[in-house]
Amino acid sequence: MNKPMATRAVSGCSIVRCAAYMPLHLLLHRRSFCISLPLNRPTLQSSHSQSFSSNPPTPQFHVGYSTSHSPSLVDYVMEELKAMRSRRRARATNKVELPCAAELLDVKHAKRSLQKGCLLQFRKDSQKLLLAVAQKPDGKKNWMVCDQNGVVSSIKPQQITYIVSSFENFDYTDIPDFIQKARSLLDPTILECAWEELLENKRSVTPEELAEIIYGCSEPLESYCAHLLLSEDDIYFNQVEFKGHASVYEPRPTIQILKEMGLSKTSSSALNLLINIGYFPVHVNLDLLKFNIRAEQSEQVLLAAEDLLTNSVDVDEAIRKDLSYLKVYAIDVDEPDELDDALSAMRLPDGRIKVWIHVADPTCLVKPHSIIDREAMQNGTSIFLPTATFSMFPEKLAMEGMSLQQGKLCKAVSVSVTLQEDGSIADYTIDNSIIRPTYMLTYESASELLYLGLEEESELRTLSEAASLRLQWRRNQGAIDTSTIESRVKVVNPDVPEPSINLYAEDQSDPAMRLVSEMMILCGEVVATFGSVHNIPLPYRGQPQSSISAFAFSHLPEGPVRSSAYVRIMRAAEMDFNKPIRHGVLGIPGYVQFTSPIRRYMDLLAHYQIKSFLRGESMPFSSGELEGIHCLVDMHVKVAKKLQNSSLRYWLLEYFRRQPRERKFGALILRFIKDRIASLLLVEAGIQACAAVSAGKQIGDEIEVFIEEAHPRDDILSVREV
């Protein structure tokens, strides 16, 4: 039973949307022009040292999984950009009326003459642009002009970039006021709206035509502003013609825009774009959006949960067995979110061992087909990510009403088993019970207590002995040991560019982990046997043996190496809802998952069925109904597993990315893929990688490696033997 731990989703979510979106051009423009009309271009720092000027609000997410086909990230981003443009267009059209294509002016791009008193823009040097008033000709082609600073100079025709208008006797002292008025009209957001309109209609445009589109007129001031927007734009428009100081521009296609931004139409480029503009935080988990994962339940569900905590009645109270006298050990990861199982043991006078597997009893609160039950079924499972936990039940109900709590009287379903000396089952019972958990132990602390062998914790040693008996008995029945090293990650403050990453490597052969897993398997076997004896429809789980004998791998070292070989030949699990089927990998005649009803919906279904039988009631679900529910829940479970695996791997790679290049990591050779290319298990992190290893190295050997590359967003991990 490996139960990952993470901070709760309601306290911090790894995805943020800004309420006010920063326009793309504000990020991507790099040039500036010096006529006192600079466009505001804030400087953004990207990569993992990125800083943001504001703290955007955290959105509300909705639990429930979309099982339909998810679009690619590129499609998703393009849809987001389209939506952003639509919102901007809506804001822009509050100020101006955008005419349709039929209303665009049909203007001939004739050569415009230069006259005395004309206001013009000219390039003084390679970068600096100035406004000036034409004074008089200077020779055959040149003109004397007085610029905005009062400086008189002679300019060549090729220096003129735009003739604003044929003002008569425009005074250069009026230029600052003209600039001020132009500044108030400059809105690059409207340029993006115009680009979309013109792209859709495949139309070119002059500054005067653009002025008609975005300002509703082509007067000199508005036309000049349109010229500034077009001439200084690096993203949306190409200049396709320049005759007689009159320019024509065409809208760029979307692909060319991405290219101009230095981006290709790939998932990573699209995501980096949204991260760089501050739309997403650096470590955004887009799977939460793609699969529509909610952080909170609806108000209706929360009210129903509150009502259960306040007004529920335990219908099993009269038949609960008082087991509060037992010493009860709850062993789990540190700070578990939902504690749903605990263990007790004693040695009988005849020397045999009796154990109890106590399982939390959520069905004393939740009834089949209720609103809380339907919500749990839609979720299918709790989701444990390094950054957050998304509970199957409302958090308060799960933590306060359902979970086992140290030192408090708790309602449970207790499975008691007496073992024969060889580890087989002598007898068993299943009862509604009351228990009082004595100790809440982590796997590490439980293993330490076992190692110390304290006399006052003899019950814990008895549990460990029972686990050893069971493991040996299952192996004699053909069970395959698939224990390996797994990683667990907890991330603190995931929304900042450099959050704290805590990495834990857990060896499943650890005495405490082995103890717990053996008791969970024993409980599943007992429930399957009980269901078979009493003809109870249950979600019976089995797994056929591989056609390749396990003895084929007996030459491999025990532990992760042999387990890795076993896993590659294992066949898919099977389900039956009428009778038990053999679970060849576990080496038992039948198995029902029963020990996690707070976090797995199929376990909750098994509780509904067993509890109804104990009360002498008819079964709430037929075998056919169980099968139908399983099909629905299984889709949600697969989504949850994908989320958990991808998120865990992302943060493992982010952990490696931060490590010093010279740091060495221990690695175990699992197998050879081709020639000297080996599959390795990095034992300090429980993650696999491939690398070339030196001659003479064998399967099962331990080597040291350096991390050459680690790119979490691109899922790249490259290692090299020391």
Side-chain angles (χ1 to χ4, degrees), residues 331 667 686:
I331 305 172

Side-chain angles (χ1 to χ4, degrees), residues 560-575:
V561 174
R562 189 181 296 182
S563 296
S564 174
Y566 285 154
V567 169
R568 292 199 303 276
I569 66 168
M570 284 171 52
R571 296 167 67 179
E574 299 175 351
M575 299 293 296

Side-chain angles (χ1 to χ4, degrees), residues 657-704:
R657 185 191 68 80
R658 299 187 192 181
Q659 302 308 304
R661 295 295 297 270
E662 65 275 9
R663 180 179 172 182
K664 301 175 183 178
F665 291 88
L668 189 64
I669 299 178
L670 299 178
R671 63 189 176 98
F672 285 99
I673 301 172
K674 182 180 179 182
D675 299 329
R676 302 306 300 174
I677 303 297
S679 175
L680 307 175
L681 176 67
L682 277 62
V683 295
E684 297 171 57
I687 190 173
Q688 293 189 24
C690 296
V693 299
S694 55
K697 293 292 191 293
Q698 302 295 324
I699 293 176
D701 287 351
E702 292 189 23
I703 63 173
E704 289 187 323

Side-chain angles (χ1 to χ4, degrees), residues 336-357:
D337 293 291
E338 301 152 351
L339 188 57
D340 47 19
D341 56 72
L343 305 170
S344 299
M346 69 167 56
R347 191 172 300 277
L348 300 176
D350 61 5
R352 294 184 300 177
I353 295 174
K354 184 173 183 177
V355 299
W356 286 263
I357 301 98

Side-chain angles (χ1 to χ4, degrees), residues 519-659:
M519 293 301 103
M520 300 303 106
I521 294 170
L522 175 60
C523 180
E525 181 185 352
V526 168
V527 172
T529 303
F530 185 84
S532 177
V533 170
H534 298 289
N535 297 314
I536 303 174
L538 289 169
Y540 298 100
R541 181 178 293 271
Q543 193 165 11
Q545 295 278 20
S546 170
S547 57
I548 302 176
S549 171
F551 291 107
F553 304 105
S554 59
H555 65 286
L556 297 174
E558 287 189 6
V561 174
R562 189 181 296 182
S563 296
S564 174
Y566 285 154
V567 169
R568 292 199 303 276
I569 66 168
M570 284 171 52
R571 296 167 67 179
E574 299 175 351
M575 299 293 296
D576 194 293
F577 301 93
N578 287 299
K579 62 183 184 303
I581 51 178
R582 178 171 175 76
H583 202 302
V585 174
L586 297 180
I588 55 179
Y591 181 66
V592 172
Q593 288 186 322
F594 193 77
T595 58
S596 296
I598 304 177
R599 61 185 72 188
R600 292 192 304 235
Y601 189 76
M602 295 309 295
D603 294 44
L604 184 69
L605 283 181
H607 275 245
Y608 284 145
Q609 301 291 88
I610 295 295
K611 291 289 294 292
S612 294
F613 179 85
L614 293 177
R615 288 194 295 265
E617 300 173 354
S618 60
M619 296 297 102
F621 300 100
S622 67
S623 60
E625 288 173 325
L626 289 176
E627 184 173 5
I629 294 172
H630 172 262
C631 290
L632 172 65
V633 169
D634 191 53
M635 291 188 295
H636 301 326
V637 171
K638 288 178 179 177
V639 168
K641 287 182 178 178
K642 180 178 180 180
L643 278 170
Q644 290 169 174
N645 292 338
S646 63
S647 183
L648 175 62
R649 182 170 176 85
Y650 175 90
W651 286 106
L652 284 172
L653 297 188
E654 174 63 12
Y655 172 83
F656 284 124
R657 185 191 68 80
R658 299 187 192 181
Q659 302 308 304

Side-chain angles (χ1 to χ4, degrees), residues 295-329:
E296 295 180 353
Q297 282 83 6
S298 67
E299 185 67 23
Q300 186 180 12
V301 170
L302 294 177
L303 289 174
E306 193 68 37
D307 181 65
L308 287 178
L309 288 171
T310 306
N311 302 315
S312 63
V313 177
D314 180 16
V315 297
D316 300 310
E317 184 175 4
I319 60 173
R320 287 196 184 276
K321 182 177 290 189
D322 186 358
L323 299 178
S324 59
Y325 64 91
L326 291 173
K327 183 180 285 188
V328 177
Y329 297 91

Side-chain angles (χ1 to χ4, degrees), residues 244-257:
H245 316 306
S247 300
V248 179
Y249 297 85
E250 67 177 9
R252 290 176 173 174
T254 303
I255 297 299
Q256 187 176 354
I257 289 178

